[in-house]
Amino acid sequence: MAIISDYQEEEEQRQPGAKKPAAASAASSSSSASASAAAEFSARFDPSSPLGFLEKVFEFVAERSDFLAHEAAEGDVAAVVRASREKQKQKAMQVEKERERARAEAEAAAAAAAAKKKKVDEERKVEEVEMKDAEEEKKSGAIVPNKGNGLDLEKYSWTQTLQEVTVRVPVPKGTKGRFVVCDIKKNHLKVGLKGQPPVIEGELFQTVKPDDCYWSLEDQSEVSILLTKHNQMEWWKSLVKGDPEIDTQKVEPENSKLSDLDPETRQTVEKMMFDQRQKAMGLPTSDEMQKQEVLKKFMAEHPEMDFSRAKIA
């Protein structure tokens, strides 16, 4: 019976459409499913041992496929390594570019902040100097001169050089010369219009040379007066006595005017200008500097003497 039974089972397997046993069908299905299913890889990466992680990767690949058996596998792996290295380089370059950009922005911001601080400091210094000048003016009553080394007043203005004083008096548009009153004397000046109170009348700050003085009417709207100083080595503090006075230490003569002077006068004027600047900065004048040099020379020639209490008279 066993022989017949075996024969019958073989026949049933040969017959088309014959049903397989349930156990055999389940085993076949399970094998097919496991072959088609994606294999899972599980391993932890240790940054201190990257090669160990790669060994596990290759072991897993070798166990689950025949990839490493192919001759091209080594080249393919090397290509993957090169590609990864290139990506790493590009990423490093990008990171460096970002750092450079951040560094450049930081430097630009720092430079802008430094420039702003410098500007603020300069403006503060200017304000401090102006406040100091204003306080000095308030104490002394002297005023900083205008650009022409004179003063702009409500009814007239005046400028000066070492040789001359120029006065400008505005008058109504269309004024004729015959209506102008201008009387220039050695130490007195009177300017105005006929039938009206004089605009300027008073004793001049210093004497002038009347024969070298003159006036003119410009554009029928302004009387221009040129006064030639008698003493051409002194700056005027005001046009007429009693008017507001300027601080002559703040006078800044033009170099072009100095070139018109004779060498001896120019040297004297330049010395005077230098001494004014030195005094304004609290520094010794040219005479004081010369005395200091003489004292230093004398001290060097007489080292045996004690000059610890010596003072320049």
Side-chain angles (χ1 to χ4, degrees):
M1 292 295 292
I3 295 174
I4 294 173
S5 177
D6 293 339
Y7 176 79
Q8 288 178 348
E9 288 178 0
E10 289 177 2
E11 285 296 320
E12 287 175 358
Q13 291 176 4
R14 289 195 190 98
Q15 290 179 4
K19 294 183 179 180
K20 295 181 180 179
S25 177
S28 175
S29 175
S30 175
S31 175
S32 174
S34 86
S36 62
E40 294 184 358
F41 174 78
S42 177
R44 290 185 179 181
F45 175 72
D46 184 2
S48 64
S49 179
L51 287 177
F53 180 80
L54 290 176
E55 288 177 357
K56 292 180 181 179
V57 170
F58 286 122
E59 288 176 0
F60 178 80
V61 172
E63 290 175 357
R64 300 303 178 94
S65 73
D66 59 350
F67 171 74
L68 297 179
H70 298 292
E71 294 182 357
E74 185 175 353
D76 293 341
V77 171
V80 172
V81 172
R82 286 195 298 270
S84 299
R85 187 182 298 165
E86 187 64 27
K87 288 181 180 179
Q88 188 177 23
K89 287 182 180 179
Q90 292 178 358
K91 185 177 180 180
M93 291 175 62
Q94 185 64 28
V95 171
E96 186 62 26
K97 286 182 180 179
E98 291 295 329
R99 288 178 179 174
E100 288 292 335
R101 183 179 62 80
R103 190 181 299 114
E105 290 178 353
E107 291 177 354
K116 184 177 180 180
K117 183 178 182 300
K118 182 179 180 182
K119 183 178 180 181
V120 171
D121 291 342
E122 291 177 350
E123 291 176 351
R124 186 183 294 111
K125 288 181 180 179
V126 171
E127 291 178 358
E128 289 175 355
V129 171
E130 291 177 350
M131 290 178 62
K132 185 177 180 181
D133 290 343
E135 290 177 359
E136 291 178 355
E137 289 174 11
K138 189 175 181 180
K139 291 178 181 178
S140 63
I143 304 172
V144 176
N146 58 21
K147 293 182 179 180
N149 298 319
L151 194 60
D152 299 322
L153 299 174
E154 182 180 358
K155 295 183 178 180
Y156 73 92
S157 64
W158 62 278
T159 58
Q160 67 174 322
T161 64
L162 281 171
Q163 298 82 29
E164 302 168 341
V165 175
T166 300
V167 186
R168 297 187 179 278
V169 182
V171 293
K173 186 69 175 178
T175 298
K176 302 297 183 181
R178 62 177 179 270
F179 296 117
V180 176
V181 175
C182 186
D183 184 17
I184 305 173
K185 295 182 179 180
K186 183 178 180 180
N187 57 3
H188 191 273
L189 176 65
K190 180 180 179 181
V191 183
L193 296 177
K194 292 181 179 178
Q196 298 182 17
V199 178
I200 303 172
E201 184 176 18
E203 183 180 354
L204 292 169
F205 184 79
Q206 293 290 350
T207 58
V208 298
K209 301 176 182 179
D211 294 339
D212 296 332
C213 301
Y214 62 87
W215 67 271
S216 62
L217 182 63
E218 298 181 0
D219 298 330
Q220 295 184 331
S221 61
E222 185 180 74
V223 178
S224 177
I225 307 163
L226 179 69
L227 304 175
T228 302
K229 296 179 180 179
H230 188 272
N231 180 4
Q232 300 188 347
M233 293 296 297
E234 184 180 2
W235 297 106
W236 286 18
K237 293 184 178 181
S238 64
L239 177 64
V240 294
K241 294 181 178 180
D243 276 1
E245 295 185 351
I246 64 170
D247 185 356
T248 54
Q249 289 188 353
K250 302 294 177 62
V251 168
E252 297 180 358
E254 298 179 4
N255 293 331
S256 58
K257 299 299 181 181
L258 293 176
S259 61
D260 297 336
L261 303 175
D262 60 86
E264 184 178 355
T265 305
R266 178 175 179 176
Q267 184 177 3
T268 304
V269 173
E270 289 177 344
K271 178 178 178 296
M272 179 181 66
M273 292 168 56
F274 174 80
D275 290 343
Q276 287 180 346
R277 288 194 297 268
Q278 292 293 99
K279 287 181 179 179
M281 294 185 293
L283 300 175
T285 63
S286 55
D287 292 336
E288 292 171 346
M289 292 172 64
Q290 185 177 4
K291 291 178 181 179
Q292 290 178 355
E293 288 297 325
V294 172
L295 180 59
K296 288 180 181 179
K297 185 177 179 181
F298 185 80
M299 290 170 62
E301 293 175 350
H302 300 276
E304 73 282 359
M305 298 180 66
D306 182 14
F307 295 93
S308 60
R309 297 183 180 180
K311 292 183 180 181
I312 299 176

